[in-house]
Amino acid sequence: MVPSLPFPMHPKMQEDQALAFSAKQDEEERRHIQKVQNAFQYYRRYAFLRLNRKEDYLLSLSADDQRLLSKYRTHLDIVRHCIDCNQTVIREILRDRVLYPTGGDSDYQNDEAPAHVRHGDMDQAQSTLKLIARDWSAECAIEREQSYKPIIDSIEEYYKPSDYKLNEIKILVPGAGLGRLTYELACRGYACEGNEFSYFMLIASNFVLNLCDYENKHVLYPWVHQYVNNMRRADQVASVRFPDVCPVRNPPKGNIEMAAGDFLEVYKSPDSYNCVATCFFIDCANNVIDFIRTIYKILVPGGIWVNLGPLLYHYSDVSGQNSIEPTYEDLIIIMESVGFDILTSRTGIRTKYAQNPQSMKQSEYQSLFWLCRKPPNNFEQQQQQQQEQRNPQEPPDLIVHQNNVDIIDAETEIEIETETDDDLKQT
């Protein structure tokens, strides 16, 4: 029997918190998971609606135009086949019932739009297929290396295998997505816990981590919904196989867990983790200071926070949502004021996010990278005493200190993309 990875269903809370959460949220959570399942099941029909409109328009053209587009017409038939194949993979993802209510038929597909499922939900279902490719296909290995390697290298340099018992080094990965970064850190021997809020991500990552029993078992067409910026017809219908590494047959040396829930609601216990690793995550908050304070709180004294990603600020343009968008120099001030020592900071890290490598349009971030440390014990008391003596009205502008001058590269700006890859990152 192949080994299985632990995959906790509910957020890790104190017992009294968990009971209150369960009583209040169970029904709401059940409805939400059902909506995610419905969106996955409606995937094929939803994708066909767009394809049918294209075919109907094509048939309305003159006979001469249709003759000139004969190869394009054949291509649309191939697109339809690829969508069918993706739905087959989705049925496999939904076949296991661990993460959502029992009952129903995983082979069922909705031909009518399910109640309460919106266009945004369908976009997330399609985006999930791209993120499977990003985290678990050989074709996206270069993109993964851009984002994950600086984080992994920094953690291995700080918590060297020669100096620590790695299975005692607890690492939390908030916004774990499809789980590859969590898995890679656990493979190096660390005790890793991924946290994810999206059930699209949780259902898909559970499938890869626990249910794919050999490498490259499944074929996916992640770019089939990209009808523009294609040099060749084959680029839109290019396939990837996943998983390129099978976690079931290659279990990590360290412990690995995945926990569901809102990061700010789940993680409240102080001094709990040796390291927090965030990748394309910190700009997912309405107020990024909440994330920074929580990360500081849950780290043990001397623990580190390693971050890589841009400052997209997902809620910035979302109707009905409040948002603040501090710049990088603002974040440096905030982090130091909260209490972090900034050990390493770099700008201009070139990173892509779920990009079709053959697309004519290649969006790229000039991402930020930093490694911060929560100082050893007694620092908080000293800082509070100094704060009381100064009694400042606002945080000091620490960015102008001489030892921080090299942190900001004035010639490097954060490139914020507003195209479809940004919508994908919000999932």
Side-chain angles (χ1 to χ4, degrees):
M1 181 177 179
V2 294
S4 178
L5 303 179
F7 203 102
M9 264 292 297
H10 299 291
K12 292 194 161 188
M13 298 180 176
Q14 300 296 331
E15 184 177 355
D16 57 340
Q17 293 176 313
L19 290 173
F21 177 89
S22 177
K24 182 179 179 181
Q25 301 290 345
D26 274 354
E27 179 60 25
E28 180 181 343
E29 183 181 27
R30 186 197 67 79
R31 288 197 301 267
H32 177 67
I33 298 172
Q34 186 65 54
K35 183 176 72 170
V36 171
Q37 177 182 328
N38 289 342
F40 273 131
Q41 290 176 326
Y42 187 53
Y43 161 82
R44 178 179 181 272
R45 178 60 179 162
Y46 182 81
F48 278 0
L49 290 175
R50 183 178 184 183
L51 184 59
N52 291 343
R53 288 194 296 269
K54 295 182 183 298
E55 291 178 332
D56 290 344
Y57 178 58
L58 181 61
L59 292 174
S60 73
L61 302 179
S62 68
D64 189 47
D65 285 356
Q66 290 188 49
R67 179 182 58 82
L68 293 174
L69 291 168
S70 60
K71 290 186 178 180
Y72 178 72
R73 177 70 175 84
T74 301
H75 171 67
L76 293 182
D77 290 336
I78 298 173
V79 169
R80 185 176 296 273
H81 170 74
C82 294
I83 292 171
D84 271 329
C85 292
N86 284 351
Q87 187 67 55
T88 299
V89 174
I90 288 173
R91 283 199 295 269
E92 289 298 313
I93 292 173
L94 296 179
R95 196 174 300 278
D96 182 76
R97 314 301 294 187
V98 170
L99 292 179
Y100 38 86
T102 58
D105 181 4
S106 63
D107 291 334
Y108 172 75
Q109 63 181 39
N110 287 319
D111 289 330
E112 300 296 332
H116 310 299
V117 172
R118 300 165 298 181
H119 287 292
D121 300 316
M122 298 312 304
D123 290 342
Q124 289 188 56
Q126 294 180 357
S127 297
T128 300
L129 303 181
K130 292 184 180 182
L131 292 174
I132 292 174
R134 169 179 163 84
D135 260 16
W136 295 102
S137 74
E139 287 79 1
C140 293
I142 294 177
E143 183 177 301
R144 281 197 304 276
E145 183 170 334
Q146 290 177 337
S147 295
Y148 298 160
K149 190 175 187 300
I151 294 174
I152 295 171
D153 288 350
S154 294
I155 293 173
E156 287 189 305
E157 175 64 23
Y158 192 86
Y159 290 114
K160 293 182 173 67
S162 58
D163 298 338
Y164 295 90
K165 295 181 179 179
L166 298 189
N167 61 352
E168 297 179 357
I169 302 299
K170 296 175 61 179
I171 300 178
L172 175 65
V173 184
L178 270 290
R180 186 60 179 262
L181 177 58
T182 309
Y183 172 76
E184 291 293 341
L185 288 168
C187 283
R188 285 153 175 81
Y190 300 103
C192 289
E193 178 180 333
N195 164 242
E196 179 56 53
F197 179 75
S198 168
Y199 274 102
F200 287 97
M201 303 293 106
L202 287 164
I203 290 171
S205 62
N206 174 64
F207 176 70
V208 176
L209 291 170
N210 292 324
L211 302 174
C212 293
D213 52 9
Y214 59 88
E215 292 179 0
N216 297 319
K217 180 177 182 178
H218 300 285
V219 178
L220 198 62
Y221 297 88
W223 324 119
V224 69
H225 309 291
Q226 181 180 312
Y227 289 92
V228 298
N229 288 314
N230 293 308
M231 286 288 291
R232 303 176 305 149
R233 293 184 295 276
D235 294 340
Q236 182 180 2
V237 294
S239 65
V240 302
R241 303 189 76 94
F242 77 93
D244 62 323
V245 175
C246 177
V248 171
R249 294 192 178 275
N250 300 276
K253 294 184 293 183
N255 185 55
I256 181 172
E257 297 180 352
M258 291 286 286
D262 184 310
F263 172 66
L264 295 176
E265 294 298 323
V266 175
Y267 296 95
K268 297 178 179 293
S269 299
D271 304 340
S272 299
Y273 295 91
N274 302 96
C275 172
V276 175
T278 53
C279 185
F280 281 76
F281 174 72
I282 64 162
D283 53 0
C284 298
N286 299 86
N287 178 3
V288 68
I289 300 176
D290 290 338
F291 275 8
I292 294 173
R293 285 186 174 135
T294 297
I295 291 170
Y296 187 87
K297 177 181 179 179
I298 65 177
L299 281 172
V300 300
I304 58 171
W305 171 25
V306 186
N307 174 77
L308 186 144
L311 297 178
L312 179 58
Y313 292 118
H314 296 171
Y315 295 109
S316 179
D317 298 315
V318 177
S319 177
Q321 291 283 348
N322 294 317
S323 176
I324 58 168
E325 301 85 22
T327 66
Y328 177 44
E329 62 181 351
D330 293 324
L331 290 180
I332 294 294
I333 296 170
I334 293 165
M335 288 187 290
E336 291 190 312
S337 297
V338 167
F340 278 110
D341 292 331
I342 300 176
L343 304 183
T344 303
S345 181
R346 301 200 303 271
T347 62
I349 308 297
R350 300 176 62 180
T351 52
K352 297 180 180 181
Y353 196 90
Q355 289 283 296
N356 178 355
Q358 301 303 321
S359 174
M360 295 165 62
K361 180 179 183 296
Q362 295 293 321
S363 299
E364 185 177 78
Y365 293 99
Q366 301 291 323
S367 287
L368 307 169
F369 173 85
W370 61 70
L371 187 154
C372 301
R373 181 182 62 188
K374 180 177 181 177
N377 283 321
N378 300 326
F379 174 81
E380 290 85 354
Q381 296 178 359
Q382 297 173 8
Q383 186 187 46
Q384 184 177 359
Q385 292 173 357
Q386 294 173 0
Q387 193 80 354
E388 291 174 351
Q389 293 173 1
R390 291 196 307 262
N391 193 24
Q393 298 300 313
E394 60 183 27
D397 192 3
L398 299 176
I399 201 67
V400 303
H401 287 190
Q402 182 62 39
N403 59 353
N404 289 320
V405 170
D406 62 341
I407 292 176
I408 300 297
D409 182 353
E411 296 180 357
T412 303
E413 297 181 354
I414 307 300
E415 177 183 342
I416 302 299
E417 293 291 339
T418 58
E419 300 295 332
T420 56
D421 59 314
D422 292 342
D423 295 331
L424 167 63
K425 180 172 173 281
Q426 296 183 26
T427 63

